[in-house]
Amino acid sequence: MSFADNLVLGLQTALSWYNFFWCFAGVFLGTLLGVIPGIGVLAAISMLFPLTFQLDATAALIMLAGIWYGTTYGGSTAAILLNVPGSPANAITSLDGYPMTRQGRGGVALLMTTVASFFGGSVGIILLMAFAGTISSYALRFSSAEYFSLMLLGLVAASNISGGSIIKGLIMVCLGVMFGIVGSDIYTGTRRFDFGILDLADGINLIALAMGLFGVAEVIASVGKVHAQNVDPDSVKFSAMKPTRDDVRRSWFPMIRGSAVGSFFGTLPGTGPSIAAFMAYAIERRSAKEPERFGKGAIEGIMAPESANNAADQTSFIPTLALGIPGSATMALMLGALMIHGIAPGPQLMTEQPSLFWGLVMSFWIGNILLLILNIPLIGLWVRLLMVPYQWLFPAVLMFICIGTYSVNNSAFDVLLVALFGCLGYGLRAFGYPAAPMLLGFVLGPMMEEHFRRAMLLSRGDLATFIDRPISATVLAFTAIILLWGLKSFILPKKKTATPPLA
Amino acid sequence: MKLNIRRMTGAALLVTSAVFANTGLAQDFPGGNITFTVPYPPGGGTDIMARLVVEKIREQSGWTFVVQNQPGAGGNIGLAQVSRSAPNGLNIGMGQTSNLAVNPSLYADIPYDPVQDFTPLAAVATQPMAIITFPGSPFTNLGDLIEAARAKPGSVLYGTPGTGTVSHLSMELLATRAGLKLDHVPYTGIAQAISDVMGGVVDIYIGSLPSVLPHVRAGTVRALAVTSPDRSSLLPDVPTVASFGFDGFETADWKAIVGPAGIPAERVETLNAAINAALADDSLRAVLEAEGSVILGGSAEDLASFLAEQVKLWAEVVEASGASVN
Amino acid sequence: MARRNLADIIAGTIFVVLGVAVAHYAAENYPIGTLRRMGPGMFPMWLGILIASLGGLLALTAWLRSEDEWHMPELPWRTVTLVVAGVVAFSLLVKSAGLIPAVLAVAGISSFADKTVGIVNVTLLSTILCAIAFAIFNLALGMGFKLLEWPF
């Protein structure tokens, strides 16, 4: 079958009323759940997983996928308006999104992130359509040595993600890695730093950490300080959503770079939208002419991560569908939905089930267009949230954080961790330590250890493996360049500021 | 004290239960929602099998189920929760080889006793392990592999879905019986592992048949052997491990439905009958068999003696392999 | 003296102590292994050493560099206590007593973090939030949370 035949088949499948309805249901639910802090996409999909028994395989997959990318659209809303990220993948968006809200530009931020999400999603789908069949060989070249180098690049590039002192940023990264170590060591099963608590056997829950550090800490910092009156009623009008010419001009390249970064990380098993968003932000900040604008409402700081996480959402289907390799727990869940219907997910899925594969891919277009149409009118509604007095809003936010975190593993212990990380997060913030690098360290650290140790096992203890393997060597060289570049800009401006008093 | 009495009554009822064998389905039994605990996250093998079986029972009997995923500590947290719940037949869950038979020997602090703290209800299905390699591998069969490993101890790297998994211990059992030294490379699941096998980074990989079957079928990897006593009907060309001179070699990842200790015998009967009825359904069998599972079923007593056997077997394997945790 | 950044010196010292503690605990309790077959203790040990070094660097640079005078930030103890108490109460109640008492607890307790609220408003808000939680999680998502349960 030719490419065009496949497209027609896919469109026919995706546009049938039945599938269209479930696509709509998926993206609608996804975007609403994304807005609610604490309900991660995995929890959302798990909740609706039993529904797949009642649907046929294509509709089930279309719906679950709709929730998956729908939550990423919605996830930026609370991050921008309340400084409470809807999910860990959106934590980085709050760095510049929330300052925009404080400047009365919350509507602009929401509109632009919706556009960025759509742009990123579109790039991801195009890549999925064009390369799903051929991309397999490239993903196979990534083994543990390559992953380790990539993680190292990530940490180096992101060490300065929140501005301020580099040493403080690095300490926060290390503390994040430390929290990531808690739990069973995957190589020996030894439980590390669990202090005899069985609930810590699988480590600290990412949602609990993120919701504590960002959600609860934000609530503590804002109670009694944020007042609804601060919101200018004009800023919720539809016309206030209109971006300036400058906004649009500044958004193009971050969106393109973000989509590229997101597409890349999406295809690698194990990495996903969160890492993609962090990396996109870090790259934007590194390459900016005025990095000092970041963290104060720079539009680039929301466009890059939001296009990246949506692109990653779409391209993560490439290894899942083309190779039968699920890159994340959520993707494994999608394959699970297929198995329930007796379809073996695997490399032959594309050829054996063309209507399912192409129907799903084409439903991504429909879903993304629906999300664009759905989200723009909703912006006006969400911005109105700011007019609700904060004393009414924050107990609701806390409730959603509690229920959302609890629902991930049905674990009351995880909610206790939220309280603990809330205190820690507030303390760090009060003393000027950034929380975002800690989250990144928490996500990347355990992967770094896993891949370093596996690379050592595979190479039988030979460190040269990182240089012998070409992709790994290239990535390491790149890391070294960034490190040197960072040091250079760290030293040079100091000389400049040091000279004037002498002159 | 109270607990002991409950346990004794439970045991007494179990003894007398043989008298009431084959009483058939009592449709009026539940009197409430049956909470079915899956000790793993949604979407995994155990979860899908549990949901398929539960869905079929629901369809056939009209009972209402609440499937609750309680992941954590390799399934230990969820099963501990089942063992602590009220023994009225309304709280049941799905355990498997790891948490009912392997972990008790592997972990020092497991919060339940797999034989004492549960009422076995029925075995569900079993899946053999399969050893796979990349298409261009020098190993054309398991014999080659064993020879190579003998000639140069430690030269063969084998991947598994994790430390202490049935796959890992199966390979250790094989190594012990063949007197080999193999190097273990644990992965955190199938994704990265299958990619490393396909790329030839790791020599072989051992995982449950359903997890590797699609890749074997697509020809991206080659199966060397299966750990079941007989060849799998899905891979008739792949020999068993036992056929390479390891008589009686058999390991499997089985799944079984259990409840807390002390469920009244007539309720055990009802639940067992319902599970067996669901497992007899053609459409359910077709789905499970297509992915590489073998349906078990059988009486609750069968499962009880099977469990006791398995706990003993894995204790020996764990001891012989020297694998231990904590 | 007072012009030195005391906060960074103290924080740096804390990180040194923490790093040494982590490295020591890892080395004492977990096998270190070899580079080829790393034990569970190697990575945390080096991480601890890294944290300690960075902490030392932080303290040292703060010692050498005089900066603007620094004041201890005023911590809002009332807010911290009530918000944390609310979340902890939710955690303790949700499994044993059910969703409704847990939501009432988190909303009811944390609301008082704002000094201006009255008991009537808090009661009203908590009740509304219970209804919202029930509608979203039990009705719309069918999560089957237990609403109310007597632990006794």
Side-chain angles (χ1 to χ4, degrees), chain A residues 93-116:
Chain A
T93 309
S94 60
L95 289 188
D96 280 281
Y98 188 60
M100 285 183 76
T101 298
R102 301 308 301 267
Q103 295 154 14
R105 284 161 43 82
V108 178
L110 288 182
L111 179 74
M112 292 305 279
T113 51
T114 305
V115 173

Side-chain angles (χ1 to χ4, degrees), chain A residues 409-429:
Chain A
N409 284 332
N410 277 320
S411 164
F413 181 82
D414 285 352
V415 183
L416 272 185
L417 286 180
V418 170
L420 195 74
F421 282 107
C423 290
L424 179 68
Y426 181 74
L428 292 174
R429 184 195 279 233

Side-chain angles (χ1 to χ4, degrees), chain A residues 47 192-193 410 412 426 453, chain C residues 11 30 38 40 76 91 95 143:
Chain A
M47 284 171 216
R192 296 185 291 184
F193 300 97
N410 277 320
Y426 181 74
R453 286 170 72 177
Chain C
Y30 312 120
M38 285 166 62
S91 149
K95 267 232 157 104
M143 288 179 62

Side-chain angles (χ1 to χ4, degrees), chain A residues 41-42 45 68 326 328-335:
Chain A
V41 62
L42 185 60
I45 293 186
W68 163 242
S328 67
T330 325
M331 285 298 130
L333 209 62
M334 306 261 177
L335 293 187

